[in-house]
């Protein structure tokens, strides 16, 4: 049974294991710093499909199958899958995962989906509701651009605050406590909105939610940045990262060199074209987590990691109607140590 | 702790209570058979807002607040809220609930969202993950028509198989076992797709999922229609209902007079204009459940009810790209009897 700490944190006393994980990505991600770490790297961003949306579904299908294969599990042995993506009505997940015949709980958490699905999977394990859960998400540059901004053919100029949507999918299988990485705690975020209205500055819209969730978790657990090896936000990019540090500083919280952001890790901003403020999309935090961070937790290269994926909860319609952009951030505390060893 | 029955059913041995519930609706729903039963009935479908999308958010806000008020609970005392809707990026929920500051787990289950959110809330209670959860959803005829079909101004003719999207919101507060109605079991659905491609015939697209979930639950629990007072599907309408009975008959399962469908209950199809095959939308099963069924379970007028909300998981884009429409159906078993009394 979980133990509630403070206001919004649940300590998962059984410390479920992330049994396996997989990351799928494409050309631009392959040219970035993590290029060698993906399970499947497809140079062709269409993934052999006839539309960008179908390509995104295909990525989720490949990624979920790969994670199950790595855990040596058949779809039949999975109790629930949690998945979602950025596309209208989450068609990336609905079509990508329909053949698996696993009980399906669809999510919409925008770019926070990897944390939301991983948190729910882990909570289901902790509550005795499941023995095995699957968490999946994805994003695709081409399907996201034409849905949220402009058709690619339009060739719109990108602002310096804009971020490049990652073409990629991440998935994780969560099961009973057996081997690292372990999920030690989760902190589900609240919707935060400081009034940002710029669709080309998602980092700024999401930073307040990240700050809120990190502060809540630190207060709830009586811990601070010093207790962790890595505090990894989802896809704030450079603008959102700067803002996060400002917001936290105002409340006397510092993350220092412990902090990094998936949007700043996935690409080489100096040498790759048009990245601007960094990477973004559900796939951004998903592939960084599944290709880079979870492996390091498994080997013990990292010990205690806070993974905080952030989502911007607007739609093009809400922005056109003059609404500001609400953000959300969910936190998952991952550790190489089982049980009550480690920070909590 | 829950007990897994058969393949996909979880018996919730603590039998969490639905502490309170509320339903908000508008003019057309007010003129239907349930007209006197809504907590809030607004003749003006704009709900005082400047767009249909904002009207939908406003409905969720009113509905969630009303359910909390009826349970005499402040937002602070709610551990998690589960919500989603049909709008792109679920802006009905994201904007409608942003001021509550409750940890938020966004869902996308299309018209199955009331069952998905109620199932997750109940499972969280059962697993000791929460003491109080809030489940919310909504739909709005005007926001749905322009997003999924045509702008209202276009005045398109409606086909006989089409369904009328309910303008309404339902919400339920789930807490520890105290008073009826109790949630005794849940059966989370799998994605089913028999190849229907007609965007004006959602009932047919969702019927296979409803049949699958009902059959799975009956097998898992060794029960049948005779064990229940009411087997209530979400929003299959007349076409989907006929198809459901055909699909079940093929497998030797009969529901007989125990079955009804929210889409056939919400409007007076003989006397209300343009209803055609019935009602639909996330709000359809939500308001029928919260305005009519939960009250009858509380008073004991109904004893054992299977609530199976169905969702069609396509988007206009996926349909335009020639894809068929996958469906999903989640089942929640509600009872007026606590603990191990009753069917399970």
């Amino acid at each position: 049974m979980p133990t509630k700490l403070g206001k919004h944190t649940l300590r998962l006393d059984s410390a479920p294991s992330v049994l396996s994980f997989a990351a799928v990505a494409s050309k631009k991600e392959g040219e970035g710093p993590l290029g060698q770490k993906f399970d499947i790297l497809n140079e062709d961003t269409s993934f052999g499909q006839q539309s960008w949306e179908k390509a995104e579904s295909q990525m989720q299908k490949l990624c979920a199958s790969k994670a199950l294969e790595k855990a040596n599990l058949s779809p039949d042995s999975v109790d629930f899958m949690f998945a979602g993506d950025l596309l209208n009505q989450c068609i990336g997940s609905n079509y990508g995962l329909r053949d698996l015949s696993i009980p399906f709980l669809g999510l919409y958490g925008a770019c926070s989906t990897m944390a939301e699905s991983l948190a729910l999977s882990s909570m289901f394990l902790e509550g005795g509701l499941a023995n095995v859960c699957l968490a999946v998400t994805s994003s695709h540059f081409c399907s996201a651009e034409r849905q949220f901004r402009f058709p690619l053919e339009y060739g719109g100029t990108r602002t310096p605050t804009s971020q490049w949507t990652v073409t990629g999918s991440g998935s994780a299988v969560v099961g009973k406590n057996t081997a690292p990485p372990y999920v030690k705690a989760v902190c589900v975020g609240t919707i935060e909105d400081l009034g940002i209205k710029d669709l080309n500055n998602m980092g700024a819209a999401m930073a307040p939610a990240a700050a809120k969730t990190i502060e809540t978790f630190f207060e709830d657990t009586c811990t601070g940045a010093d207790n962790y090896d890595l505090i990894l936000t989802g896809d704030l990019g450079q603008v959102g990262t700067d803002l996060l540090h400002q917001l936290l500083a105002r409340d006397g919280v510092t993350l220092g060199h412990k902090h990094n952001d998936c949007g700043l890790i996935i690409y080489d901003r100096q040498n790759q074209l048009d990245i601007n403020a960094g990477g973004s999309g559900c796939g951004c935090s998903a592939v960084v987590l599944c290709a880079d961070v979870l492996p390091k937790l498994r080997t013990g290269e990292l010990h205690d990691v806070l993974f905080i994926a952030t989502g911007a909860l607007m739609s093009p319609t809400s922005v056109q109607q003059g609404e500001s952009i609400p953000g959300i951030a969910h936190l998952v505390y991952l550790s190489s140590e089982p049980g009550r060893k480690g920070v909590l």
Side-chain angles (χ1 to χ4, degrees), chain A:
Chain A
M1 295 283 277
T3 305
K4 186 158 182 182
L5 303 175
K7 207 171 165 200
H8 291 155
T9 302
L10 279 186
R11 192 177 69 195
L12 307 186
D13 289 335
S14 72
S17 285
V18 184
L19 302 178
S20 73
F21 34 83
V24 173
S26 193
K27 189 163 187 291
K28 197 159 187 133
E29 294 69 34
E31 293 165 357
L34 307 183
Q36 303 306 310
K37 300 189 173 189
F38 303 115
D39 296 275
I40 299 170
L41 187 66
N42 201 332
E43 289 283 308
D44 172 10
T45 51
S46 79
F47 281 78
Q49 304 297 307
Q50 293 193 312
S51 74
W52 304 125
E53 290 75 17
K54 291 184 185 187
E56 185 166 346
S57 291
Q58 182 66 12
M59 285 197 296
Q60 284 209 24
K61 187 176 188 169
L62 291 169
C63 193
S65 302
K66 177 55 83 175
L68 289 173
E69 180 196 317
K70 287 169 79 176
N72 202 18
L73 288 169
S74 69
D76 262 2
S77 49
V78 181
D79 296 306
F80 300 98
M81 62 182 171
F82 296 91
D85 54 88
L86 287 172
L87 295 179
N88 296 343
Q89 289 73 56
C90 298
I91 53 172
S93 306
N94 299 343
Y95 288 91
L97 306 175
R98 70 177 152 179
D99 294 333
L100 290 175
S101 292
I102 299 171
F104 175 64
L105 291 156
L107 307 181
Y108 186 77
C111 305
S112 74
T113 307
M114 193 69 229
E116 185 182 0
S117 58
L118 186 57
L120 276 162
S121 295
S122 310
M123 290 160 95
F124 263 48
L125 260 291
E126 176 77 11
L129 298 160
N131 290 317
V132 180
C133 287
L134 176 62
V136 195
T137 191
S138 67
S139 56
H140 194 299
F141 175 76
C142 303
S143 63
E145 280 300 300
R146 71 173 169 190
Q147 181 180 284
F148 286 105
R149 294 177 190 92
F150 300 107
L152 292 182
E153 295 80 356
Y154 177 79
T157 306
R158 301 171 66 79
T159 69
T161 57
S162 73
Q163 295 173 237
W164 188 276
T165 303
V166 167
T167 298
S169 173
S171 64
V173 179
V174 181
K176 295 196 171 171
N177 179 301
T178 47
Y182 304 99
V183 182
K184 303 280 284 281
V186 299
C187 183
V188 172
T190 52
I191 303 172
E192 303 297 322
D193 190 338
L194 294 191
I196 298 288
K197 295 190 175 189
D198 182 358
L199 204 53
N200 289 307
N201 193 353
M202 307 302 263
M206 298 188 291
K212 181 70 182 286
T213 300
I214 292 169
E215 289 187 10
T216 301
F217 180 79
F218 282 169
E219 281 168 30
D220 288 351
T221 57
C222 304
T223 64
D226 290 348
N227 296 102
Y228 305 95
D229 303 322
L230 175 63
I231 296 165
L232 182 66
T233 46
D235 54 345
L236 297 177
Q238 192 59 58
V239 180
T241 294
D242 293 345
L243 201 56
L244 171 68
H245 289 283
Q246 281 175 39
L247 288 166
L248 290 174
R250 212 175 51 181
D251 297 331
V253 175
T254 51
L255 303 181
H257 68 282
K258 297 294 182 72
H259 177 253
N260 208 340
D261 183 78
C262 297
L264 299 175
I265 293 172
I266 181 73
Y267 298 119
D268 177 349
R269 290 169 67 217
Q270 305 307 317
N271 298 307
Q272 286 187 280
L273 199 65
D274 260 348
I275 302 301
N276 294 314
S280 69
C282 298
C284 181
S285 54
V287 300
V288 172
L289 181 78
C290 296
D292 192 40
V293 176
L294 291 173
K296 287 179 180 167
L297 280 158
R298 176 169 281 179
T299 60
E301 189 178 335
L302 284 170
H303 292 287
D304 292 287
V305 174
L306 301 183
F307 172 63
I308 310 114
T310 52
L313 298 176
M314 86 300 160
S315 79
T317 303
S318 70
V319 173
Q320 281 163 14
Q321 292 181 0
E323 276 283 11
S324 53
I325 302 175
I328 196 157
H330 304 301
L331 181 151
V332 179
Y333 165 32
L334 294 150
S335 176
S336 62
E337 295 289 340
R340 291 274 60 77
K341 293 181 193 168
V343 178
L344 293 180

